[in-house]
Amino acid sequence: QVQLVESGGGSVQAGGSLRLSCAASGSIYDDYCMAWFRQAPGKEREGVANMDEDDRTDYADSMKGRVTISQDNAKKTLYLQMNNLKPEDTAVYYCAATTRWYCVVADFNAADYDYWGQGTQVTVSE
């Protein structure tokens, strides 16, 4: 089992920045894919970025160019640095993980991720 706990959400004005964190615990060791998703009210959950154990990354078009995913293996923590935030970025941001699939397979298909955090709210105002 893997437990994920997000933090770092909040309210910012347009153009501002936030860094989200996702602390992982449990059985996540060698081969894994971790990702950030987001879900705005009334919309489907969509991928933002993912990263595997070898620090290979991929970014979805949703926020490409404005976000950076990174991890601290020693702390088992995943990060999402978000810059130049826009009101349309307002959403609940979720951390997800899978040990079944490589990131190139899981991509941004939410159904392929087995573990999810509780989410952290990000609100961007004009």
Side-chain angles (χ1 to χ4, degrees):
Q1 284 289 350
V2 175
Q3 294 78 42
L4 304 172
V5 179
E6 302 99 333
S7 61
S11 297
V12 295
Q13 290 189 323
S17 298
L18 281 175
R19 189 175 83 153
L20 306 182
S21 299
C22 172
S25 61
S27 303
I28 185 162
Y29 298 112
D30 296 327
D31 298 325
Y32 60 82
C33 176
M34 294 188 72
W36 288 99
F37 285 77
R38 68 180 185 177
Q39 188 166 19
K43 295 189 176 181
E44 291 188 357
R45 192 168 297 189
E46 65 173 354
V48 176
N50 64 30
M51 170 174 263
D52 66 14
E53 72 281 359
D54 291 324
D55 292 339
R56 287 182 289 240
T57 62
D58 192 19
Y59 295 91
D61 290 340
S62 58
M63 298 185 76
K64 188 178 289 184
R66 298 188 292 121
V67 296
T68 302
I69 190 171
S70 61
Q71 63 185 340
D72 183 327
N73 289 325
K75 295 182 180 179
K76 284 191 174 182
T77 301
L78 185 75
Y79 302 100
L80 185 71
Q81 177 66 44
M82 305 187 294
N83 300 320
N84 191 23
L85 286 163
K86 305 175 181 180
E88 52 264 42
D89 296 321
T90 295
V92 178
Y93 285 72
Y94 296 91
C95 175
T98 178
T99 56
R100 291 188 295 130
W101 305 110
Y102 295 118
C103 281
V104 69
V105 175
D107 198 24
F108 297 113
N109 300 312
D112 287 337
Y113 290 83
D114 303 307
Y115 307 103
W116 292 84
Q118 81 286 354
T120 186
Q121 176 70 45
V122 171
T123 302
V124 185
S125 58
E126 295 281 1

